[in-house]
Coordinates of all heavy atoms in Angstrom, one line a residue:
G1 N 0.8 -1.2 0.0 CA 0.0 0.0 0.0 C 0.9 1.3 0.0 O 2.0 1.2 0.4
R2 N 0.3 2.3 -0.5 CA 1.0 3.6 -0.6 C 0.6 4.6 0.5 O -0.5 4.7 0.8 CB 0.7 4.2 -2.0 CG 1.9 4.1 -2.9 CD 1.6 4.8 -4.2 NE 0.9 4.0 -5.2 CZ 0.6 4.4 -6.4 NH1 1.0 5.6 -6.8 NH2 0.0 3.6 -7.2
L3 N 1.6 5.3 0.9 CA 1.4 6.4 1.9 C 1.8 7.7 1.1 O 2.9 7.8 0.5 CB 2.3 6.3 3.1 CG 2.2 7.3 4.2 CD1 0.9 7.3 4.9 CD2 3.4 7.2 5.1
L4 N 0.9 8.7 1.2 CA 1.2 10.0 0.5 C 1.0 11.1 1.6 O -0.1 11.4 2.0 CB 0.2 10.2 -0.6 CG 0.1 9.1 -1.7 CD1 -1.0 9.4 -2.7 CD2 1.4 9.0 -2.4
L5 N 2.1 11.8 1.9 CA 2.1 12.9 2.8 C 2.3 14.2 2.1 O 3.4 14.4 1.4 CB 3.2 12.7 3.9 CG 3.2 11.4 4.7 CD1 4.4 11.4 5.7 CD2 1.9 11.1 5.4
V6 N 1.4 15.1 2.1 CA 1.5 16.4 1.5 C 2.0 17.3 2.6 O 1.3 17.7 3.5 CB 0.2 16.8 0.9 CG1 0.3 18.2 0.2 CG2 -0.4 15.8 -0.1
E7 N 3.3 17.7 2.5 CA 3.9 18.4 3.6 C 5.0 19.4 2.9 O 5.4 19.2 1.8 CB 4.6 17.5 4.5 CG 3.7 16.6 5.3 CD 3.0 17.2 6.5 OE1 3.2 18.5 6.7 OE2 2.3 16.5 7.2
M8 N 5.4 20.4 3.7 CA 6.5 21.2 3.3 C 7.8 20.4 3.7 O 8.0 20.0 4.8 CB 6.5 22.5 4.0 CG 5.4 23.4 3.6 SD 5.5 25.0 4.4 CE 3.9 25.7 4.0
V9 N 8.6 20.1 2.7 CA 9.9 19.4 2.9 C 11.0 20.5 2.9 O 11.3 21.1 1.9 CB 10.1 18.4 1.9 CG1 11.5 17.7 2.1 CG2 9.0 17.3 1.9
I10 N 11.7 20.6 4.1 CA 12.7 21.7 4.2 C 13.9 21.3 3.4 O 14.5 20.3 3.6 CB 13.0 21.9 5.7 CG1 11.8 22.4 6.4 CG2 14.2 22.8 5.9 CD1 12.0 22.7 7.9
P11 N 14.4 22.2 2.6 CA 15.6 22.0 1.8 C 16.8 22.2 2.7 O 16.8 22.8 3.7 CB 15.6 23.0 0.7 CG 14.8 24.2 1.3 CD 13.8 23.5 2.2
R12 N 18.0 21.7 2.2 CA 19.2 21.9 2.9 C 19.7 23.3 2.8 O 19.4 24.0 1.9 CB 20.2 20.9 2.4 CG 19.9 19.4 2.7 CD 20.9 18.5 2.1 NE 20.6 17.1 2.3 CZ 21.3 16.1 1.8 NH1 22.4 16.3 1.1 NH2 20.9 14.8 2.1
G13 N 20.6 23.7 3.7 CA 21.4 24.9 3.6 C 20.5 26.1 3.9 O 19.5 26.1 4.5
D14 N 20.9 27.3 3.3 CA 20.2 28.5 3.6 C 19.2 28.9 2.5 O 18.7 30.1 2.5 CB 21.3 29.7 3.6 CG 22.2 29.5 4.8 OD1 21.8 28.9 5.8 OD2 23.4 30.0 4.7
E15 N 18.8 28.0 1.7 CA 17.8 28.3 0.7 C 16.5 28.8 1.3 O 16.0 28.2 2.2 CB 17.5 27.0 -0.2 CG 16.5 27.2 -1.2 CD 16.2 25.9 -1.9 OE1 17.0 25.0 -1.9 OE2 15.0 25.8 -2.5
P16 N 16.0 29.9 0.8 CA 14.7 30.4 1.4 C 13.6 29.4 1.2 O 13.5 28.9 0.1 CB 14.5 31.7 0.6 CG 15.8 32.1 0.1 CD 16.5 30.8 -0.2
H17 N 12.8 29.2 2.2 CA 11.6 28.3 2.0 C 10.7 28.6 3.1 O 11.1 28.7 4.3 CB 12.1 26.8 2.1 CG 11.0 25.8 1.6 ND1 10.0 25.4 2.4 CD2 10.8 25.2 0.4 CE1 9.2 24.6 1.8 NE2 9.7 24.5 0.5
F18 N 9.4 28.7 2.8 CA 8.4 29.1 3.8 C 8.3 28.0 4.9 O 7.9 28.3 6.1 CB 7.0 29.3 3.2 CG 6.0 29.8 4.2 CD1 6.1 31.0 4.8 CD2 4.9 29.0 4.5 CE1 5.2 31.4 5.8 CE2 3.9 29.5 5.4 CZ 4.1 30.7 6.0
G19 N 8.7 26.8 4.6 CA 8.6 25.7 5.6 C 9.5 26.0 6.8 O 9.2 25.6 7.9
K20 N 10.6 26.8 6.6 CA 11.5 27.1 7.7 C 10.8 28.1 8.7 O 11.1 28.1 9.9 CB 12.8 27.7 7.2 CG 13.6 26.7 6.4 CD 14.8 27.3 5.7 CE 15.6 26.3 4.9 NZ 16.8 26.8 4.3
I21 N 9.9 28.9 8.2 CA 9.1 29.8 9.0 C 8.0 29.1 9.6 O 7.7 29.2 10.8 CB 8.6 31.0 8.2 CG1 9.8 31.8 7.6 CG2 7.8 32.0 9.1 CD1 10.8 32.4 8.6
Q22 N 7.3 28.3 8.8 CA 6.2 27.5 9.3 C 6.6 26.5 10.4 O 5.8 26.2 11.3 CB 5.6 26.7 8.2 CG 4.4 25.8 8.5 CD 3.1 26.6 8.8 OE1 3.1 27.8 8.7 NE2 2.1 25.9 9.3
D23 N 7.9 26.1 10.4 CA 8.4 25.2 11.4 C 8.3 25.9 12.8 O 8.1 25.2 13.8 CB 9.8 24.8 11.1 CG 10.4 23.9 12.1 OD1 9.8 22.8 12.4 OD2 11.5 24.2 12.6
L24 N 8.4 27.2 12.9 CA 8.3 27.9 14.1 C 6.9 27.9 14.7 O 6.6 27.8 15.9 CB 8.8 29.3 14.0 CG 10.3 29.5 13.6 CD1 10.6 30.9 13.4 CD2 11.2 28.8 14.5
E25 N 5.9 28.0 13.7 CA 4.5 27.8 14.1 C 4.3 26.4 14.8 O 3.6 26.3 15.8 CB 3.6 28.0 12.9 CG 2.2 27.7 13.1 CD 1.3 28.9 13.5 OE1 1.9 30.0 13.8 OE2 0.1 28.8 13.5
M26 N 4.9 25.4 14.2 CA 4.8 24.1 14.7 C 5.4 24.0 16.1 O 4.9 23.3 17.0 CB 5.5 23.1 13.8 CG 4.8 22.9 12.4 SD 3.1 22.5 12.5 CE 2.3 24.1 12.2
L27 N 6.6 24.6 16.3 CA 7.3 24.6 17.6 C 6.4 25.3 18.7 O 6.2 24.7 19.8 CB 8.6 25.3 17.5 CG 9.3 25.7 18.8 CD1 9.8 24.4 19.5 CD2 10.5 26.6 18.5
L28 N 5.8 26.4 18.4 CA 5.1 27.2 19.3 C 3.7 26.7 19.7 O 3.3 26.9 20.8 CB 5.0 28.7 18.9 CG 6.1 29.6 19.3 CD1 7.5 29.2 18.8 CD2 5.8 31.0 18.8
I29 N 3.1 26.1 18.7 CA 1.6 25.9 18.9 C 1.3 24.4 19.0 O 1.0 24.0 20.1 CB 0.8 26.6 17.8 CG1 1.1 28.1 17.9 CG2 -0.7 26.3 17.9 CD1 0.3 29.0 17.0
P30 N 1.4 23.6 18.0 CA 1.0 22.2 18.3 C 2.1 21.3 18.8 O 1.9 20.2 19.4 CB 0.6 21.6 16.9 CG 1.4 22.4 15.9 CD 1.6 23.8 16.5

């Protein structure tokens, strides 16, 4: 069976990505 996770996948290094900001929302709230 297949598992499909629709998520922000954080890239390596200093590349700008909204997931890096959203990760703080995850830290603070859920």
Side-chain angles (χ1 to χ4, degrees):
R2 252 186 275 186
L3 178 72
L4 305 174
L5 305 181
V6 181
E7 297 281 4
M8 294 185 191
V9 179
I10 295 182
R12 296 177 179 175
D14 294 336
E15 178 184 337
H17 194 279
F18 185 62
K20 295 177 180 180
I21 302 298
Q22 180 71 8
D23 182 52
L24 300 179
E25 174 91 350
M26 297 301 102
L27 169 66
L28 269 60
I29 297 182

